[in-house]
Structures are given as C-alpha cells and as structure tokens.
Amino acid sequence: MLHITPQLPPGQKHVIVIGGGFAGLNAAKALARHPQVQVTLIDQRNHHLFQPLLYQVATAGLRPSDIAVPIRAQFTGMRNVGVHLGRVRQVGLQEKWVEVEDDSGRAVRASYDYVVLACGAQHSYFGRSEWEPHAPGLKTLEQATEIRRRILSAFELAENEFDPERQRALLNFVVVGGGPTGVELAGAIADIARTVLVKDFRRINPSSARVLLVEAGARLLPAFAEDLSHRAARDLTELGVELRLSSRVTAVDAEGIQIGDERIQAGNVFWGAGVEADKLTRALGTELDRAGRVKVSQDLSIPGFPEAFVVGDAAHLEVGGQVIPGLAPAAIQTGEWAARNIIASIEQRPRTPFRYRDKGIMATIGKHRAIAQTGSLRLTGFIAWVAWLFVHVLYLIGFKNRVTVFLEWTWSYLFAKRGARLITQRDWKLRA
C-alpha cells in the first residue's frame, strides 16, 4: 500500500479535506490561512462545481465551464495546500487514515491529524437504482450534459419522425420531484421549448412539447411557505407545465413512466425526487439518519472521534429544532466552522457549537419568475427573479465566470437565444 502523507515540519498538523464542493473548498481555504496546518484536499474531479446552476447547463442556458472552476487554481500560491485527484474508498477513524483510489485503480493511503468529510450527496431512487439509466439525476456536469443531449435530441428525433404517436412521445418530458431542482428544470424545459426552439423547426411545433412535473407530496417546494408554493405552481402552469401532485411514480423504463395505474409514454424522464449522502458515509460505522447523513456533535465532529468532522450535505445536525438544510450557504458555513474548530484544537482553545445563519431560500420558475423567502420577507415574480440572478452571480467563484454568466443571461433575456445548444455524443471514439 502506497502512502501520500506529506513530510511535515515539527509542530505542523496534517488535515485531509474530502470533497471540493462548497463545504470542502471553504474548509480548505480557511485552514490554509493557518501556518501550523498542511492541507490535502481530495476529490474525484478536478473542478469545483456551482451546483445551483446545473439545470442551466442541462437546458443549454450556460456552458459547463461557466459554472465550474479548477480546484487547483483556487490554491495557487498556497504552499501548505495540496490537491489529490482520486476517490476516497475508506476512512479509518480509529487509525486515522484515508484510502484513495485513482483512475488507474491504484490505492494509496494518507494519515491525518484531522479529517473533514465534505463528500456531498447524490440522488436517491428509493431502492430502485435500475431506474437511473432511464431517469438521470442532476448532480454532476456529466449528468447535466447528458440531460442536455437528451432534451435537444428529442426535438431533432421528433422532427424526423413520421409516426404521430411516436412523435408525441418524443416530445413528452417528465420531471420527477417537486423540489427546487425539479421545479427549475421543468420550468426551463417549458421555457426553451416555447421561446428558444419555437422558430427553429419546420415539421414540428416545439411549443407543443408536453412537460409534466410529478410530485409525491401534496404541494411543490415544501421547504417554502405555502403561499409561495402555490405561486410557484401557478407560474409553472402558466408556462405550460402540467402538474401531478400527490402522485407516486411506480415504474420507470426506456419508454416512459407508470404513475399508479396510469401509463405515460415519454421520450425523456429526469429525476429530482430525493437525495442521500455519498455512500462513503455508510462505511464509517457511525450513526446515520435515513438519508445516510452522519449524525454529528454540535461542533460538527463525529461522536467518539473528535479529530473527524462531517460538513455540508453529508452532515445531520439539528439547530433550533431544525436540521441544517442542504443548501450552498449552509455548506459554506459548516465548512468554515469545522476549520475554525480544528484551528481552535491545534491552538488548545475550546471548540464552539455550530450556529447556523439562515440566508433564505430561492427558486426560479422560467424566465422572469421566481420565489424567494428569508425570514418574514417573501418575494415573487420579476423582483424575486432579479434577486435570484444577483445572488447566484454573487456566489459564483471567479470574476470571469460572474461576468460570463451575467452576459449570457442578458443575451438570453433580450434575444431568447441559448448559445450552448450542443448535442454531444457519449461515444468519444473516432469512427472509420
């Protein structure tokens, strides 16, 4: 077994951060400021991804590079931060080591003084993993470009289809899950069909595309106030999205879905119905909640293992009677807080319990429409949409990305054009 533990000067501590998302990246940045810390950040991808805008890549509004930045570029000049590309397979909490596998299948180990698990979340199919090939989720750039390929290909295939029934099925899009991902994706598909593609085809009318949003609960966006949920439902209906509330999907295959006794033929099904923590958490041997998140102490450490912290979407912690939500601001706060507690331990100061600052929640529903809620303040319509634009541009990493995204949105708003309408193939090999 190879080892990648760095050689440390006397008095320095080695901190491993697993995951380069919002929580892990901000934990590493906070730790990098301390002279007694050597950080190793491990991620299976070389980029940090701004997940809240993935649906824009999936619907050709933005390019992948607009919402992703190389992780290494965030630590240029920081000599006490190393980045390692690989997937963490095991964490030895008792022995304090991390086992990593690279793309070649080679396994290496690194010892740590402290570890921060920021491994994030993945889609949950509630025990029906065989549905995933037919209903991809939206958590990675690869999934976003695959969804984009499927959406754009559906219109191209329908243009060349002479069977009316098959043509209708190709233009049926089903989004499962009425949370922010499902609502934003369904609204964007309806918007692109009715405002962007409508003049580009000759044999079909893209605005006739049927977009269904299926939600098992009684209302959309249950994390929002009820009046805002109803406003989102009204806005989606006005966009042409067909809502199926209190409806549970019972089967998904290559030809469509089953909702109870009803069969719906659909060329595309997309999944946004549930999330669970990365499977790494299940190998820790610690107490988990139903979603696989680690139940952490108030200082964000794992009970019984004060050197191990869990942050972001992988952590379960109740503050004020509420579980910390799986949102970017919450992930950033937990990552920075864990770093502060690690530094406090190194400096032999007491740790502090995590305090969550609720910055509100937002969701956009197509062009010009959004809802926002923070404390007692509630916004809807165009004002909420402008606020949504401002907040998301602000949270993007990198000045270039902020400018690029702002210009892309301005162009799309003024001219109803989307420049990232590329159909990429899954087979990369050149053909003879």
Tab-separated table of all heavy atoms in Angstrom, residues 374-414:
chain	number	residue	atom	x	y	z
A	374	THR	N	-36.860	34.730	2.995
A	374	THR	CA	-35.835	34.849	4.027
A	374	THR	C	-36.472	35.514	5.234
A	374	THR	O	-36.898	36.669	5.169
A	374	THR	CB	-34.612	35.639	3.528
A	374	THR	OG1	-33.702	35.820	4.614
A	374	THR	CG2	-34.976	36.982	2.937
A	375	GLY	N	-36.573	34.775	6.320
A	375	GLY	CA	-37.274	35.292	7.490
A	375	GLY	C	-38.723	35.583	7.146
A	375	GLY	O	-39.432	34.757	6.562
A	376	SER	N	-39.176	36.772	7.470
A	376	SER	CA	-40.551	37.171	7.157
A	376	SER	C	-40.686	37.798	5.772
A	376	SER	O	-41.797	38.075	5.313
A	376	SER	CB	-41.055	38.174	8.208
A	376	SER	OG	-40.230	39.334	8.230
A	377	LEU	N	-39.568	38.020	5.101
A	377	LEU	CA	-39.594	38.635	3.773
A	377	LEU	C	-39.869	37.584	2.706
A	377	LEU	O	-39.209	36.551	2.646
A	377	LEU	CB	-38.250	39.316	3.487
A	377	LEU	CG	-38.094	39.964	2.104
A	377	LEU	CD1	-39.092	41.099	1.919
A	377	LEU	CD2	-36.664	40.443	1.884
A	378	ARG	N	-40.838	37.879	1.847
A	378	ARG	CA	-41.179	36.976	0.754
A	378	ARG	C	-41.277	37.781	-0.535
A	378	ARG	O	-41.909	38.837	-0.561
A	378	ARG	CB	-42.507	36.259	1.027
A	378	ARG	CG	-42.465	35.379	2.272
A	378	ARG	CD	-43.808	34.798	2.601
A	378	ARG	NE	-43.778	34.086	3.867
A	378	ARG	CZ	-44.843	33.528	4.451
A	378	ARG	NH1	-46.022	33.612	3.860
A	378	ARG	NH2	-44.721	32.907	5.606
A	379	LEU	N	-40.649	37.251	-1.579
A	379	LEU	CA	-40.662	37.909	-2.878
A	379	LEU	C	-41.179	36.945	-3.931
A	379	LEU	O	-40.952	35.732	-3.847
A	379	LEU	CB	-39.252	38.366	-3.270
A	379	LEU	CG	-38.533	39.347	-2.331
A	379	LEU	CD1	-37.111	39.577	-2.819
A	379	LEU	CD2	-39.287	40.669	-2.234
A	380	THR	N	-41.881	37.497	-4.925
A	380	THR	CA	-42.373	36.694	-6.037
A	380	THR	C	-42.181	37.466	-7.333
A	380	THR	O	-41.871	38.656	-7.336
A	380	THR	CB	-43.864	36.355	-5.870
A	380	THR	OG1	-44.617	37.587	-5.840
A	380	THR	CG2	-44.130	35.571	-4.593
A	381	GLY	N	-42.385	36.760	-8.445
A	381	GLY	CA	-42.400	37.409	-9.748
A	381	GLY	C	-41.059	37.959	-10.183
A	381	GLY	O	-39.989	37.407	-9.886
A	382	PHE	N	-41.095	39.088	-10.891
A	382	PHE	CA	-39.898	39.662	-11.510
A	382	PHE	C	-38.887	40.127	-10.469
A	382	PHE	O	-37.683	39.942	-10.640
A	382	PHE	CB	-40.306	40.836	-12.405
A	382	PHE	CG	-39.160	41.452	-13.157
A	382	PHE	CD1	-38.621	40.813	-14.266
A	382	PHE	CD2	-38.606	42.652	-12.745
A	382	PHE	CE1	-37.553	41.371	-14.966
A	382	PHE	CE2	-37.540	43.218	-13.428
A	382	PHE	CZ	-37.019	42.573	-14.547
A	383	ILE	N	-39.359	40.714	-9.367
A	383	ILE	CA	-38.436	41.192	-8.321
A	383	ILE	C	-37.661	40.010	-7.731
A	383	ILE	O	-36.446	40.085	-7.533
A	383	ILE	CB	-39.204	41.949	-7.221
A	383	ILE	CG1	-39.802	43.239	-7.791
A	383	ILE	CG2	-38.296	42.256	-6.044
A	383	ILE	CD1	-40.653	44.013	-6.807
A	384	ALA	N	-38.362	38.923	-7.466
A	384	ALA	CA	-37.692	37.730	-6.931
A	384	ALA	C	-36.710	37.172	-7.949
A	384	ALA	O	-35.625	36.694	-7.590
A	384	ALA	CB	-38.726	36.675	-6.560
A	385	TRP	N	-37.056	37.237	-9.237
A	385	TRP	CA	-36.171	36.743	-10.286
A	385	TRP	C	-34.891	37.566	-10.359
A	385	TRP	O	-33.793	37.018	-10.480
A	385	TRP	CB	-36.912	36.779	-11.624
A	385	TRP	CG	-36.144	36.234	-12.778
A	385	TRP	CD1	-35.814	34.928	-13.014
A	385	TRP	CD2	-35.614	36.983	-13.878
A	385	TRP	NE1	-35.108	34.816	-14.196
A	385	TRP	CE2	-34.979	36.061	-14.752
A	385	TRP	CE3	-35.630	38.336	-14.222
A	385	TRP	CZ2	-34.352	36.455	-15.924
A	385	TRP	CZ3	-35.008	38.726	-15.396
A	385	TRP	CH2	-34.380	37.791	-16.234
A	386	VAL	N	-34.992	38.882	-10.258
A	386	VAL	CA	-33.810	39.747	-10.256
A	386	VAL	C	-32.942	39.448	-9.032
A	386	VAL	O	-31.709	39.371	-9.126
A	386	VAL	CB	-34.220	41.231	-10.290
A	386	VAL	CG1	-33.000	42.126	-10.081
A	386	VAL	CG2	-34.890	41.574	-11.611
A	387	ALA	N	-33.591	39.269	-7.870
A	387	ALA	CA	-32.839	38.928	-6.655
A	387	ALA	C	-32.133	37.586	-6.825
A	387	ALA	O	-30.975	37.424	-6.414
A	387	ALA	CB	-33.781	38.891	-5.454
A	388	TRP	N	-32.820	36.628	-7.454
A	388	TRP	CA	-32.222	35.309	-7.700
A	388	TRP	C	-30.987	35.446	-8.587
A	388	TRP	O	-29.949	34.831	-8.325
A	388	TRP	CB	-33.270	34.405	-8.347
A	388	TRP	CG	-32.800	33.021	-8.662
A	388	TRP	CD1	-32.885	31.917	-7.868
A	388	TRP	CD2	-32.165	32.598	-9.882
A	388	TRP	NE1	-32.336	30.831	-8.514
A	388	TRP	CE2	-31.895	31.217	-9.750
A	388	TRP	CE3	-31.815	33.241	-11.063
A	388	TRP	CZ2	-31.282	30.480	-10.751
A	388	TRP	CZ3	-31.195	32.510	-12.075
A	388	TRP	CH2	-30.938	31.145	-11.906
A	389	LEU	N	-31.084	36.247	-9.653
A	389	LEU	CA	-29.944	36.463	-10.537
A	389	LEU	C	-28.763	37.047	-9.774
A	389	LEU	O	-27.624	36.580	-9.908
A	389	LEU	CB	-30.330	37.419	-11.676
A	389	LEU	CG	-31.360	36.953	-12.699
A	389	LEU	CD1	-31.596	38.064	-13.720
A	389	LEU	CD2	-30.913	35.696	-13.398
A	390	PHE	N	-29.022	38.078	-8.981
A	390	PHE	CA	-27.952	38.756	-8.249
A	390	PHE	C	-27.263	37.807	-7.282
A	390	PHE	O	-26.027	37.751	-7.226
A	390	PHE	CB	-28.529	39.960	-7.497
A	390	PHE	CG	-27.540	40.638	-6.598
A	390	PHE	CD1	-26.580	41.499	-7.116
A	390	PHE	CD2	-27.563	40.419	-5.222
A	390	PHE	CE1	-25.648	42.120	-6.286
A	390	PHE	CE2	-26.643	41.033	-4.387
A	390	PHE	CZ	-25.694	41.889	-4.918
A	391	VAL	N	-28.033	37.058	-6.507
A	391	VAL	CA	-27.466	36.156	-5.507
A	391	VAL	C	-26.619	35.073	-6.169
A	391	VAL	O	-25.511	34.748	-5.711
A	391	VAL	CB	-28.587	35.527	-4.650
A	391	VAL	CG1	-28.047	34.373	-3.804
A	391	VAL	CG2	-29.214	36.584	-3.746
A	392	HIS	N	-27.107	34.493	-7.261
A	392	HIS	CA	-26.364	33.406	-7.892
A	392	HIS	C	-25.093	33.892	-8.571
A	392	HIS	O	-24.077	33.196	-8.562
A	392	HIS	CB	-27.271	32.661	-8.877
A	392	HIS	CG	-28.230	31.735	-8.201
A	392	HIS	ND1	-29.309	32.183	-7.462
A	392	HIS	CD2	-28.268	30.373	-8.109
A	392	HIS	CE1	-29.959	31.138	-6.962
A	392	HIS	NE2	-29.340	30.043	-7.336
A	393	VAL	N	-25.119	35.070	-9.167
A	393	VAL	CA	-23.894	35.627	-9.726
A	393	VAL	C	-22.893	35.912	-8.608
A	393	VAL	O	-21.690	35.664	-8.747
A	393	VAL	CB	-24.196	36.901	-10.539
A	393	VAL	CG1	-22.911	37.646	-10.880
A	393	VAL	CG2	-24.943	36.550	-11.820
A	394	LEU	N	-23.382	36.418	-7.484
A	394	LEU	CA	-22.524	36.748	-6.353
A	394	LEU	C	-21.807	35.515	-5.805
A	394	LEU	O	-20.624	35.573	-5.444
A	394	LEU	CB	-23.344	37.419	-5.250
A	394	LEU	CG	-22.587	37.903	-4.014
A	394	LEU	CD1	-21.653	39.046	-4.385
A	394	LEU	CD2	-23.567	38.360	-2.934
A	395	TYR	N	-22.504	34.376	-5.748
A	395	TYR	CA	-21.934	33.167	-5.162
A	395	TYR	C	-21.014	32.415	-6.120
A	395	TYR	O	-20.267	31.525	-5.695
A	395	TYR	CB	-23.048	32.220	-4.681
A	395	TYR	CG	-23.447	32.462	-3.240
A	395	TYR	CD1	-24.529	33.279	-2.928
A	395	TYR	CD2	-22.753	31.882	-2.194
A	395	TYR	CE1	-24.910	33.509	-1.623
A	395	TYR	CE2	-23.118	32.097	-0.875
A	395	TYR	CZ	-24.196	32.916	-0.597
A	395	TYR	OH	-24.559	33.141	0.705
A	396	LEU	N	-21.047	32.736	-7.408
A	396	LEU	CA	-20.140	32.077	-8.342
A	396	LEU	C	-18.694	32.386	-7.978
A	396	LEU	O	-18.373	33.493	-7.565
A	396	LEU	CB	-20.415	32.546	-9.767
A	396	LEU	CG	-21.511	31.834	-10.549
A	396	LEU	CD1	-21.832	32.614	-11.819
A	396	LEU	CD2	-21.089	30.412	-10.912
A	397	ILE	N	-17.826	31.412	-8.176
A	397	ILE	CA	-16.406	31.612	-7.903
A	397	ILE	C	-15.714	32.087	-9.177
A	397	ILE	O	-15.860	31.479	-10.244
A	397	ILE	CB	-15.760	30.312	-7.401
A	397	ILE	CG1	-16.318	29.961	-6.013
A	397	ILE	CG2	-14.250	30.427	-7.342
A	397	ILE	CD1	-15.758	28.685	-5.437
A	398	GLY	N	-14.975	33.166	-9.074
A	398	GLY	CA	-14.203	33.674	-10.203
A	398	GLY	C	-14.874	34.839	-10.898
A	398	GLY	O	-16.048	34.770	-11.265
A	399	PHE	N	-14.121	35.916	-11.079
A	399	PHE	CA	-14.657	37.114	-11.730
A	399	PHE	C	-15.084	36.818	-13.160
A	399	PHE	O	-16.135	37.280	-13.617
A	399	PHE	CB	-13.603	38.228	-11.714
A	399	PHE	CG	-14.025	39.482	-12.408
A	399	PHE	CD1	-14.914	40.368	-11.802
A	399	PHE	CD2	-13.544	39.782	-13.675
A	399	PHE	CE1	-15.315	41.523	-12.449
A	399	PHE	CE2	-13.936	40.938	-14.326
A	399	PHE	CZ	-14.826	41.806	-13.716
A	400	LYS	N	-14.280	36.029	-13.879
A	400	LYS	CA	-14.596	35.696	-15.269
A	400	LYS	C	-15.934	34.985	-15.362
A	400	LYS	O	-16.761	35.290	-16.244
A	400	LYS	CB	-13.496	34.830	-15.867
A	400	LYS	CG	-13.763	34.373	-17.293
A	400	LYS	CD	-12.609	33.527	-17.799
A	400	LYS	CE	-12.904	33.005	-19.215
A	400	LYS	NZ	-14.008	32.022	-19.207
A	401	ASN	N	-16.184	34.015	-14.476
A	401	ASN	CA	-17.450	33.295	-14.509
A	401	ASN	C	-18.625	34.206	-14.202
A	401	ASN	O	-19.699	34.083	-14.806
A	401	ASN	CB	-17.423	32.125	-13.517
A	401	ASN	CG	-16.670	30.929	-14.077
A	401	ASN	OD1	-16.013	31.027	-15.100
A	401	ASN	ND2	-16.772	29.804	-13.400
A	402	ARG	N	-18.440	35.126	-13.264
A	402	ARG	CA	-19.526	36.051	-12.944
A	402	ARG	C	-19.894	36.904	-14.153
A	402	ARG	O	-21.072	37.071	-14.477
A	402	ARG	CB	-19.126	36.946	-11.765
A	402	ARG	CG	-18.950	36.199	-10.452
A	402	ARG	CD	-18.787	37.168	-9.296
A	402	ARG	NE	-18.468	36.461	-8.060
A	402	ARG	CZ	-17.278	36.492	-7.467
A	402	ARG	NH1	-16.292	37.201	-7.993
A	402	ARG	NH2	-17.059	35.809	-6.362
A	403	VAL	N	-18.878	37.437	-14.803
A	403	VAL	CA	-19.128	38.287	-15.983
A	403	VAL	C	-19.755	37.474	-17.106
A	403	VAL	O	-20.723	37.898	-17.747
A	403	VAL	CB	-17.822	38.957	-16.451
A	403	VAL	CG1	-18.034	39.686	-17.775
A	403	VAL	CG2	-17.322	39.934	-15.396
A	404	THR	N	-19.208	36.287	-17.360
A	404	THR	CA	-19.704	35.451	-18.453
A	404	THR	C	-21.163	35.069	-18.239
A	404	THR	O	-21.985	35.160	-19.165
A	404	THR	CB	-18.852	34.181	-18.579
A	404	THR	OG1	-17.494	34.549	-18.831
A	404	THR	CG2	-19.346	33.308	-19.722
A	405	VAL	N	-21.487	34.625	-17.035
A	405	VAL	CA	-22.867	34.228	-16.745
A	405	VAL	C	-23.814	35.416	-16.859
A	405	VAL	O	-24.909	35.314	-17.428
A	405	VAL	CB	-22.953	33.575	-15.349
A	405	VAL	CG1	-24.408	33.400	-14.913
A	405	VAL	CG2	-22.240	32.231	-15.356
A	406	PHE	N	-23.397	36.568	-16.354
A	406	PHE	CA	-24.244	37.757	-16.456
A	406	PHE	C	-24.508	38.114	-17.920
A	406	PHE	O	-25.645	38.423	-18.293
A	406	PHE	CB	-23.587	38.935	-15.734
A	406	PHE	CG	-24.366	40.211	-15.827
A	406	PHE	CD1	-25.501	40.413	-15.057
A	406	PHE	CD2	-23.975	41.214	-16.714
A	406	PHE	CE1	-26.231	41.584	-15.158
A	406	PHE	CE2	-24.694	42.390	-16.819
A	406	PHE	CZ	-25.832	42.580	-16.039
A	407	LEU	N	-23.464	38.066	-18.750
A	407	LEU	CA	-23.636	38.388	-20.161
A	407	LEU	C	-24.497	37.347	-20.878
A	407	LEU	O	-25.328	37.694	-21.733
A	407	LEU	CB	-22.274	38.499	-20.847
A	407	LEU	CG	-21.407	39.694	-20.414
A	407	LEU	CD1	-20.046	39.634	-21.089
A	407	LEU	CD2	-22.110	41.017	-20.721
A	408	GLU	N	-24.329	36.067	-20.542
A	408	GLU	CA	-25.154	35.015	-21.143
A	408	GLU	C	-26.622	35.222	-20.797
A	408	GLU	O	-27.497	35.090	-21.662
A	408	GLU	CB	-24.689	33.634	-20.658
A	408	GLU	CG	-23.367	33.175	-21.231
A	408	GLU	CD	-23.500	32.623	-22.639
A	408	GLU	OE1	-24.621	32.591	-23.184
A	408	GLU	OE2	-22.462	32.233	-23.207
A	409	TRP	N	-26.901	35.542	-19.538
A	409	TRP	CA	-28.290	35.765	-19.131
A	409	TRP	C	-28.875	37.001	-19.800
A	409	TRP	O	-30.040	37.012	-20.179
A	409	TRP	CB	-28.361	35.882	-17.612
A	409	TRP	CG	-28.282	34.556	-16.917
A	409	TRP	CD1	-28.475	33.322	-17.481
A	409	TRP	CD2	-28.006	34.318	-15.544
A	409	TRP	NE1	-28.330	32.337	-16.533
A	409	TRP	CE2	-28.043	32.912	-15.346
A	409	TRP	CE3	-27.721	35.145	-14.469
A	409	TRP	CZ2	-27.823	32.335	-14.099
A	409	TRP	CZ3	-27.499	34.565	-13.220
A	409	TRP	CH2	-27.550	33.168	-13.038
A	410	THR	N	-28.070	38.047	-19.936
A	410	THR	CA	-28.551	39.261	-20.600
A	410	THR	C	-28.893	38.970	-22.055
A	410	THR	O	-29.948	39.395	-22.564
A	410	THR	CB	-27.486	40.375	-20.525
A	410	THR	OG1	-27.185	40.640	-19.154
A	410	THR	CG2	-27.979	41.639	-21.198
A	411	TRP	N	-28.023	38.244	-22.760
A	411	TRP	CA	-28.261	37.873	-24.148
A	411	TRP	C	-29.532	37.029	-24.278
A	411	TRP	O	-30.373	37.263	-25.162
A	411	TRP	CB	-27.052	37.111	-24.678
A	411	TRP	CG	-27.197	36.627	-26.092
A	411	TRP	CD1	-27.617	35.393	-26.506
A	411	TRP	CD2	-26.918	37.372	-27.282
A	411	TRP	NE1	-27.612	35.319	-27.871
A	411	TRP	CE2	-27.199	36.528	-28.385
A	411	TRP	CE3	-26.459	38.665	-27.529
A	411	TRP	CZ2	-27.031	36.925	-29.698
A	411	TRP	CZ3	-26.290	39.075	-28.846
A	411	TRP	CH2	-26.573	38.210	-29.912
A	412	SER	N	-29.681	36.051	-23.402
A	412	SER	CA	-30.855	35.192	-23.439
A	412	SER	C	-32.129	35.979	-23.156
A	412	SER	O	-33.170	35.764	-23.780
A	412	SER	CB	-30.700	34.053	-22.422
A	412	SER	OG	-31.852	33.239	-22.382
A	413	TYR	N	-32.052	36.905	-22.206
A	413	TYR	CA	-33.218	37.717	-21.848
A	413	TYR	C	-33.651	38.620	-23.001
A	413	TYR	O	-34.841	38.747	-23.303
A	413	TYR	CB	-32.893	38.560	-20.616
A	413	TYR	CG	-33.995	39.502	-20.204
A	413	TYR	CD1	-35.098	39.037	-19.505
A	413	TYR	CD2	-33.938	40.856	-20.520
A	413	TYR	CE1	-36.120	39.899	-19.129
A	413	TYR	CE2	-34.947	41.726	-20.151
A	413	TYR	CZ	-36.038	41.238	-19.458
A	413	TYR	OH	-37.051	42.091	-19.094
A	414	LEU	N	-32.691	39.238	-23.675
A	414	LEU	CA	-33.018	40.201	-24.729
A	414	LEU	C	-33.432	39.532	-26.037
A	414	LEU	O	-34.326	40.025	-26.733
A	414	LEU	CB	-31.813	41.118	-24.983
A	414	LEU	CG	-31.431	42.074	-23.848
A	414	LEU	CD1	-30.153	42.824	-24.200
A	414	LEU	CD2	-32.566	43.050	-23.539
